[in-house]
Structures are given as structure tokens and as C-alpha cells.
Amino acid sequence: MTDLAPGATSEADLTRRPGRTPAAVRRRGPAWLSKRWVMGVGEALVSVAAALGYTALCRHISVDPLDRIGQVSGLAKMQEYVALIGLPLLAVLLYAAYRGTLRQHELAKRLVCAALAGLATGVVAGGVVVALRGTPWPLGGQEGDPSVLIDMATSIMHGKNVGVYPPGFPAVMAVWSEMRYGGVGGAGYALHDLQIICSALVGPMSYLAWRLLLRPFWALLIAVPAAVTFLDPIRPYSHVVMIMLIPLLAAFMRELRRPDRRSVPSALLVGAGFGVVFGLLFLWYSGWYLWSAPGVFVLALFLFPWRKGRAAVTSVGAFVVSAAVAFGVVGSPLLYEIVKLGASTPDRYAYLSVYADPTYVLGWMSDRSGQLTYDTWPAAGELSGQTGFAVLLLLGVGLGVGLGLRNIAVRTAAAVLAGAWLMRFYYAGSMEHNQQIQLYPRTTWIIMYCLMILAVLGLMALVQRGTGWVNRVVPAKDASVGVIPRRVLGQLSAGMVCAIALFATMGASWSINRYMPESSPSSMGIDAYRAHEIKKPNGLCPKFSPVKDCANPIVKDWAPTADDGYIWCAGISADDWQAVCGRPAPWVTDTKK
């Protein structure tokens, strides 16, 4: 079937094209380039190098991150750097699409798409470098979630556990602190480094995960918007698990549909590999497994080859059991804590996304919402409150389900969407009675992500079916080429890659601009601002500190917070607490006592 991002072309295809001689075929390049693993490793290396290399380049941007003129100059210099790197890459891709052989275009497309995925989040990480210039402390300083992560890493260095929180990232912080900052007392500096490194790697990891299922163009079309939209540099470990989990689950489900492909030993080995990967991601961040589990479980029951004979059931059963055992072994540290403490660790923290209409899933707002309230956010759209973007996205979802339901990625995304949708309203519906939030607003991200996936796959199905139908129905002079030649599709895909690149750099700049230092406690820039208010290891204030008396570093172990059994409504004034939370503000009550 014809694809907007065509795959490798055979020698026969090349020799049939006008102007292509056997000599052109002989000059196609070394044979080892045709091996799938070689190209896969090449894409991975290029993507990671682009992400980390660009991030390192941003260390040479010399601006004062505390004043707005310096921030704008830094953002502009980042765009200059990414243009100097990206424009030659796009020029190579366009030249290969118009002047090169189809094989050369295929190679250029793979490597350019991989590089663009790395550059997209490299810009975000580079922005963190600019925002934290002059301070060794991370976004958030010693406040909020960063302070909790610092305390957890300190506890791990003291040989203690961290409860039901996924221990993967705090453990890496502890190791990094031991390696670079002398162990206990260096967790904050380790978090500074890992916020930058992990933010840069979100794009490559997302793109490579989707390359398990899709060709470069379509993988880029999902990975880049998702990475730029969902990446949170304060906690960059969280959303990368969500972005990677869906394509990995789809690849897992694909194996369930191939009962005759593997022997039992092979199925055991492949299943164990999947289990190890899922276990490691579970330790890195586990929340997305909860929202994905219901839909994935039901889909797996439908895909299991119940009626295909004993051999098929044995092979796939071995695959599933092996994956489950490997997952249980790798994820056992966290699974044990969840079984032991899960019921005793409720989430009662409410913020703007909790107060808003629960059916709104195309945006998310944290407790740093500025002047917005649940009366003004989300902004109502033109059609029954839905915006033009929402209508177009849902149209794409309809195309995905209507034209691409045979695609395992479509089935997986739809199953996860349905399960997360039901769980969202279950937790929201019981919120007042149970006085628990249970992080249900985070389903917004995975629901929106699944909608984006279905829309892109719907577009892909439309292109594939449309070009295939035209080539079958409309007579062509050369039946081997078709009405719509593959070269034209390659040129179109090259142009669309240019558009994605422009979106990526604009979106990444928007993303990091929100985190530029700002003193307002209700802005997202407060996290970078706080990093400049803490003393460096030498006891001096950071170079651009806005205060003369900087705070001393705090070193303490993590401890669970006290639970009073009631929801805490963040961002709500004392006068409005009764109307929003159903009880008087606790600090007012305590004062009267």
C-alpha cells in the first residue's frame, strides 16, 4: 500500500524508473546499510547526539536569566542555533527528495527525522540551561515536588525506601550525586543535571518508541507534538513513560496476533524482554500503568488466539507468562510497597484542573495558574463549548477508528483511551464522598495523547487508502509507477517534515518560555526563580541571585506528610474555600482556635 513516507525501494523499482540505469543501482551504497539494525542504531545515535549536542551548545548563551530582555535574547539565540543546525538538515532532505535516488531519500529521511526529534526537546533542555544559568540548583529549588525528589534521593543514599513513589528516578539521582557531588547533600545538584539531560532525551525516546511501529515521517508526526506538548522539565521522567508506553503496548499486542510466528523458546525470550522493559518503565514512573490497565486488559483478551489451536495458545501463553514474570521481578520493589502501603497513601491535593469541567481533556493547568480561575478556564469554544482544534482533532479520531481499526496501534490507543476515560469519571465522581483526588486530572494527558495518536493514524489511513484507490482506479501510463509516483509522495513528505520542524522549534520555545524566571508565586517561572535564591556549594549566592541573603541548602530524609482526611484546595482564597471545598479554610479555623 502506498505511504506518504515510502519505505526502501527494490532494485527492480529503480531500474524501471525513467533515467535510472543499472549503474545507478550499483551506486546505491554499501550492503550493510540495508540491514535494519544498522539503520535503527544510526537513527538512535543521530537523535540522541542532536538532543544532547544542542543542549550542550546552549551553555555558551551568556545572558542574565532574571531580566526579561535577557530571557528574550536567550530564547532568540536558541532559535539562531537551532536554525543553523536544522536548515542544512532540511536542505539535505529536500535535495534527496528532488535530486537523489529514492534510496538516498530514504536514508536522508530516516536520519533527518531522527535529528529533528532530538532537536525538538533539545531546545526545551537548552532553555532550562539558560533559565538556570549561574545556579547549580534545579527548577523548583527546594520547594514543591523538587524538594520531595531531593529528600527521596537522600533517603535512598541512607538506605531507606520512598514508599509507593516510583524509585527509579530518585535512585538515579542518588547514584549521580554519589558520582559527581560527594553523595549526601548533592541530590539537589544531581536533580539540576538530570532535569536537563532527561528533558533533552524525551524527543529521541519518544521517536524511537514509535519507530517500532511506524515509518519515520509518521513516527515524527506523533512523537514531536507529544514530546513538546507534554514535556515538563521539572519532572521530565514522568511523561516520557506515557509517550513510550502506548507504542510499546501496541508492539506487545502485535505479538499476540502472531501466534504462529515464534517457537515456545523464542516466545519466552521475547516475552521476557518486553517484561523487563515494562518493569523498568514502571519503576521510572508507574502512574500511567493504572490508567492504561483496564483497556489493555480487555484488548488482550480479545486478541489472545483462543480458537487457533493448542500450538498457538501455547506459544502466546508462554509469551504472556514470560512477560508477566519478568515484569513482576523487575518491578517487585515498587509492587511490594504498593501492596503494603497503597491504601494508606491517598491523594487529596486539588488545583485548577480539579475545579474545572471534568470532560475537558484538551488542556491541563497546575497549581501555578496565574490569574485564571475555574470560571475563566478553559475558554469556551464556538461549537457547544468546543474549539476548532477540538473539532478537527475529533474528526481525525473518527478517521482513525473508521479507516484504521485493523491497525494494532489504533486498537491499543482506543483501548487505553476508553479505560482512562472511565477511570477519570469514576475517581472524579467519588471525589467528594471519599475526599480523595487520586491524581485523576493526570488522565487528561493520556486521553489527549490517545486522541492525538488516533488523529495522526487516521490521517495516515486516509493517505494510504486514498493513494491506493487512485492508483487502482485511474489508468496510468506506467502501471509499475502508478498515477501518484512514489517520488512525488517522497517530495510531499519532505515538505511536511519541514512543517513539523517549524512547529517543533516554535512549540519548544513556547514551552520553555513558561519556565523563565519570574517572581510571581502563581506563575510557572517561580520554579526557576527559586533556584537562584539558594546558596551554592561554596556558600555564595548564585551569580544572578535576586536576593542578597540566599537560603541555606536543606539536607533531610523524605517522610510522608500528615493526612487530615480532607481535600486541600490549592489556589483558593479563604473567602472562597467554603464554596469550593465545602468547608472553611483550615488556616482561618486554626487562627480562631
Side-chain angles (χ1 to χ4, degrees):
M1 188 174 289
T2 307
D3 199 311
L4 184 56
T9 307
S10 66
E11 292 187 12
D13 290 334
L14 286 172
T15 55
R16 284 197 296 263
R17 281 168 172 70
R20 300 297 178 198
T21 65
V25 175
R26 289 194 297 270
R27 292 194 298 268
R28 70 183 184 274
W32 56 269
L33 280 177
S34 62
K35 296 183 181 295
R36 290 186 61 186
W37 70 268
V38 172
M39 293 305 304
V41 170
E43 287 183 68
L45 291 176
V46 167
S47 192
V48 171
L52 296 181
Y54 178 85
T55 302
L57 184 63
C58 290
R59 296 176 61 190
H60 300 283
I61 298 177
S62 299
V63 296
D64 181 346
L66 270 294
D67 69 66
R68 186 55 187 168
I69 296 298
Q71 294 170 8
V72 173
S73 293
L75 293 169
K77 184 61 69 173
M78 289 165 54
Q79 292 301 311
E80 178 186 339
Y81 286 171
V82 78
L84 290 174
I85 298 171
L87 288 177
L89 293 175
L90 297 176
V92 169
L93 177 63
L94 290 170
Y95 179 85
Y98 279 86
R99 296 293 185 182
T101 65
L102 291 176
R103 190 175 295 273
Q104 290 170 342
H105 174 243
E106 176 72 14
L107 175 61
K109 179 182 61 187
R110 281 174 173 247
L111 298 182
V112 170
C113 286
L116 292 177
L119 287 173
T121 49
V123 172
V124 178
V128 178
V129 172
V130 173
L132 297 179
R133 182 170 182 263
T135 177
W137 289 93
L139 292 173
Q142 300 179 124
E143 305 282 342
D145 287 347
S147 71
V148 174
L149 291 170
I150 293 170
D151 294 346
M152 286 182 173
T154 302
S155 292
I156 290 174
M157 285 186 275
H158 285 153
K160 302 176 181 179
N161 64 42
V162 294
V164 298
Y165 198 83
F169 188 76
V172 172
M173 284 176 57
V175 172
W176 194 264
S177 179
E178 295 277 5
M179 292 172 55
R180 297 205 58 192
Y181 300 109
V184 175
Y189 312 134
L191 179 57
H192 168 278
D193 297 347
L194 292 175
Q195 281 180 342
I196 295 170
I197 295 171
C198 293
S199 293
L201 293 178
V202 169
M205 299 302 292
S206 305
Y207 172 77
L208 294 172
W210 277 107
R211 284 290 287 123
L212 295 173
L213 302 169
L214 303 175
R215 294 179 177 180
F217 172 79
W218 298 109
L220 187 72
L221 189 55
I222 293 178
V224 164
V228 172
T229 301
F230 299 122
L231 172 58
D232 179 5
I234 299 177
R235 296 169 295 271
Y237 57 91
S238 169
H239 289 86
V240 70
V241 174
M242 179 192 77
I243 297 173
M244 294 178 63
L245 185 61
I246 305 298
L248 288 171
L249 286 172
F252 182 86
M253 294 298 168
R254 183 173 58 185
E255 294 296 324
L256 295 184
R257 300 175 64 191
R258 300 173 173 178
D260 302 325
R261 182 180 179 185
R262 302 185 185 279
S263 63
V264 171
S266 175
L268 288 171
L269 183 62
V270 174
F274 271 103
V276 169
V277 172
F278 286 135
L280 291 174
L281 291 177
F282 182 72
L283 294 178
W284 199 245
Y285 192 78
S286 59
W288 311 118
Y289 286 75
L290 172 66
W291 313 122
S292 302
V296 169
F297 178 74
V298 173
L299 179 62
L301 291 178
F302 276 97
L303 295 179
F304 194 87
W306 302 103
R307 301 181 180 181
K308 292 190 176 181
R310 178 180 297 179
V313 170
T314 301
S315 176
V316 176
F319 170 76
V320 173
V321 170
S322 175
V325 170
F327 172 78
V329 171
V330 175
S332 59
L334 180 55
L335 290 171
Y336 172 76
E337 294 294 334
I338 291 175
V339 171
K340 183 176 70 171
L341 302 172
S344 62
T345 54
D347 167 49
R348 305 188 194 277
Y349 189 73
Y351 45 93
L352 182 55
S353 290
V354 176
Y355 315 139
D357 178 2
T359 62
Y360 181 70
V361 294
L362 297 183
W364 185 84
M365 193 62 64
S366 70
D367 54 357
R368 304 226 168 83
S369 52
Q371 302 301 315
L372 295 174
T373 68
Y374 61 88
D375 292 320
T376 59
W377 183 89
E382 305 81 7
L383 184 63
S384 297
Q386 308 309 306
T387 63
F389 167 73
V391 173
L392 289 176
L393 185 66
L394 294 177
L395 176 62
V397 171
L399 290 174
V401 175
L403 298 179
L405 197 55
R406 294 181 181 274
N407 187 318
I408 192 62
V410 171
R411 294 186 181 186
T412 304
V416 171
L417 170 62
W421 186 267
L422 288 173
M423 293 192 71
R424 175 184 181 87
F425 295 115
Y426 169 76
Y427 282 115
S430 58
M431 177 171 54
E432 184 183 28
H433 181 269
N434 296 334
Q435 287 293 296
Q436 295 178 8
I437 309 299
Q438 297 306 89
L439 302 175
Y440 89 81
R442 299 193 180 188
T443 57
T444 299
W445 290 317
I446 198 166
I447 289 172
M448 183 177 178
Y449 181 42
C450 289
L451 292 174
M452 292 166 61
I453 293 169
L454 291 172
V456 171
L457 296 180
L459 177 62
M460 185 179 77
L462 181 65
V463 170
Q464 290 177 337
R465 292 210 180 185
T467 53
W469 181 83
V470 169
N471 285 332
R472 286 194 305 270
V473 173
V474 181
K477 295 181 180 179
D478 186 348
S480 65
V481 175
V483 177
I484 306 177
R486 292 173 65 89
R487 177 168 295 280
V488 173
L489 292 173
Q491 293 165 355
L492 176 59
S493 72
M496 295 304 296
V497 168
C498 293
I500 296 173
L502 186 59
F503 167 84
T505 188
M506 295 168 63
S509 186
W510 159 83
S511 177
I512 197 57
N513 181 54
R514 300 173 299 164
Y515 293 93
M516 286 297 166
E518 188 176 346
S519 60
S520 172
S522 62
S523 73
M524 298 179 70
I526 189 63
D527 291 301
Y529 189 88
R530 286 170 173 166
H532 290 272
E533 296 181 309
I534 310 169
K535 291 179 181 178
K536 298 189 294 184
N538 60 10
L540 300 177
C541 286
K543 180 178 179 180
F544 303 102
S545 176
V547 297
K548 292 182 179 180
D549 297 323
C550 293
N552 291 315
I554 300 173
V555 180
K556 61 183 178 69
D557 286 332
W558 172 81
T561 56
D563 179 25
D564 65 358
Y566 294 97
I567 289 175
W568 178 271
C569 293
I572 301 298
S573 66
D575 293 337
D576 294 331
W577 254 72
Q578 183 70 49
V580 175
C581 259
R583 65 188 178 111
W587 63 89
V588 175
T589 304
D590 293 342
T591 302
K592 291 181 179 180
K593 289 180 180 179

